[in-house]
Amino acid sequence: MEDDDILDTSDGPQPRPQSLMLAFFGNHVLDEGDLCVYSGSIIDVLGRAGVGEQAVRSTLTRMVNRGLLRRQREGRRMYFGLTPQATRVLEDGRTRIWKQGAVNDDWDGAWTLLGFSLPDSWKRQRHDLRSRLTWSGFGALYSGLWIAPGKVDVAGVVSDLGLAAHVKIFHARADEATDIELMIRDTWDLESIAARYVTFDKRWTAHLNAGAGDDPIGTRLRLVSEWLGTIRTDPRLPARHLPPAWPARPAQETFRHVAEETAAPARHMARELLETSPSR
């Protein structure tokens, strides 16, 4: 996932093409075995989510160049399938969406602390590390010291970025003298996180009890993309240390209800629309 996968506008978070593309492969390819999908099918489906043909083609090319998708030619047609890297990204997102959820009711008091010191010239490495830490639930306690609730395994992230020699990771508990709620308010922008949940809830409540509509596959792609864009900036802070009436819970209920309404109709439509080919 990239920092710009979600574009904030006055109408709420609008998923960018790559976010929708990942949602498409996560919903309709990830669990189907080694399959590649015809580019025309992808253009058709993402068009239903508001992405134009040229944007789809450029996104496919960019994702191939980044190692997230691979091409497979069948005659004059081009098909696209997942790479191992994309599979890991999608499985991580699926865990975040469907298993962990947005509400942390079972925090055990543990924290993960990560300290790093990088050369001033390593701007890209610093940006990549901060982006991956944010996705993993970390916030900046101080400039070079980041913290996340729970015992978070970030050794793989650090290793992937080639920064193991510049990072130190600890697991600890706060002393009684530490005001955890104050620390949370100082480390994370709670107002911004809450606003994203409120915006999501308002946008999707209208879909409740409205059924899947005429285009369940496009609706579901927008739903999953927007939800992932909402929760990706939420570190799943301990619920008992958050403000009363924290909006993550009702937003999550709305997401799950709309997801349930669209799941079967979207699968049925995908079987009709998608032209696939076994990977080779």
Side-chain angles (χ1 to χ4, degrees):
M1 297 293 291
E2 292 291 310
D3 284 346
D4 62 354
D5 277 341
I6 299 294
L7 171 66
D8 286 327
T9 71
S10 59
D11 295 325
Q14 305 293 326
R16 291 185 183 272
Q18 179 166 300
S19 177
L20 288 162
M21 189 75 73
L22 288 168
F24 167 77
F25 277 92
N27 273 268
H28 304 297
V29 180
L30 183 61
D31 292 328
E32 299 302 321
D34 292 332
L35 287 180
C36 292
V37 184
Y38 171 48
S39 60
S41 298
I42 301 173
I43 290 168
D44 183 1
V45 171
L46 264 70
R48 297 166 182 268
V51 184
E53 178 177 346
Q54 186 55 45
V56 173
R57 292 189 183 278
S58 62
T59 300
L60 287 170
T61 298
R62 187 168 63 250
M63 292 178 71
V64 167
N65 292 338
R66 293 184 58 209
L68 293 171
L69 295 176
R70 64 181 189 86
R71 294 186 179 97
Q72 178 171 299
R73 183 176 292 279
E74 301 282 350
R76 300 181 62 182
R77 292 188 168 191
M78 190 65 72
Y79 291 70
F80 292 84
L82 294 170
T83 64
Q85 179 184 352
T87 298
R88 289 193 298 270
V89 169
L90 293 176
E91 288 177 345
D92 180 45
R94 179 166 60 185
T95 297
R96 189 74 178 271
I97 292 173
W98 302 108
K99 294 182 180 179
Q100 291 182 341
V103 181
N104 187 354
D105 285 321
D106 54 2
W107 180 62
D108 64 359
W111 296 91
T112 300
L113 287 87
L114 183 146
F116 65 88
S117 179
L118 305 180
D120 292 339
S121 60
W122 288 17
K123 293 182 180 179
R124 180 62 187 178
Q125 291 93 329
R126 186 176 291 105
H127 169 79
D128 289 346
L129 178 59
R130 288 171 174 169
S131 296
R132 297 287 293 275
L133 289 178
T134 297
W135 170 246
S136 298
F138 284 80
L141 188 60
Y142 300 107
S143 60
L145 181 62
W146 287 54
I147 188 170
K151 292 185 177 181
V152 183
D153 183 4
V154 287
V157 169
V158 173
S159 178
D160 287 346
L161 296 173
L163 299 176
H166 302 270
V167 171
K168 301 294 184 291
I169 304 168
F170 304 88
H171 299 291
R173 293 178 179 271
D175 186 84
E176 292 181 358
T178 299
D179 186 331
I180 293 178
E181 293 184 11
L182 176 60
M183 182 190 71
I184 287 175
R185 292 197 302 271
D186 288 343
T187 305
W188 288 276
D189 184 355
L190 295 185
E191 290 186 4
S192 176
I193 296 171
R196 283 179 174 267
Y197 282 120
V198 171
T199 298
F200 178 92
D201 200 18
K202 287 181 178 178
R203 283 169 62 84
W204 287 98
T205 295
H207 288 265
L208 292 175
N209 303 317
D214 296 330
D215 189 17
I217 195 168
T219 298
R220 187 174 178 82
L221 288 187
R222 291 192 300 271
L223 172 77
V224 173
S225 296
E226 290 183 26
W227 181 242
L228 188 56
T230 299
I231 65 173
R232 71 187 298 266
T233 58
D234 180 359
R236 295 188 76 248
L237 296 163
R240 64 178 180 265
H241 291 297
L242 291 172
W246 184 245
R249 199 178 302 274
Q252 179 169 270
E253 291 175 358
T254 297
F255 165 74
R256 289 180 173 174
H257 286 156
V258 179
E260 184 178 356
E261 287 182 347
T262 57
R267 284 195 301 270
H268 178 74
M269 182 171 281
R271 286 194 293 268
E272 294 180 346
L273 293 177
L274 300 186
E275 182 178 335
T276 62
S277 177
S279 297
R280 50 178 171 76

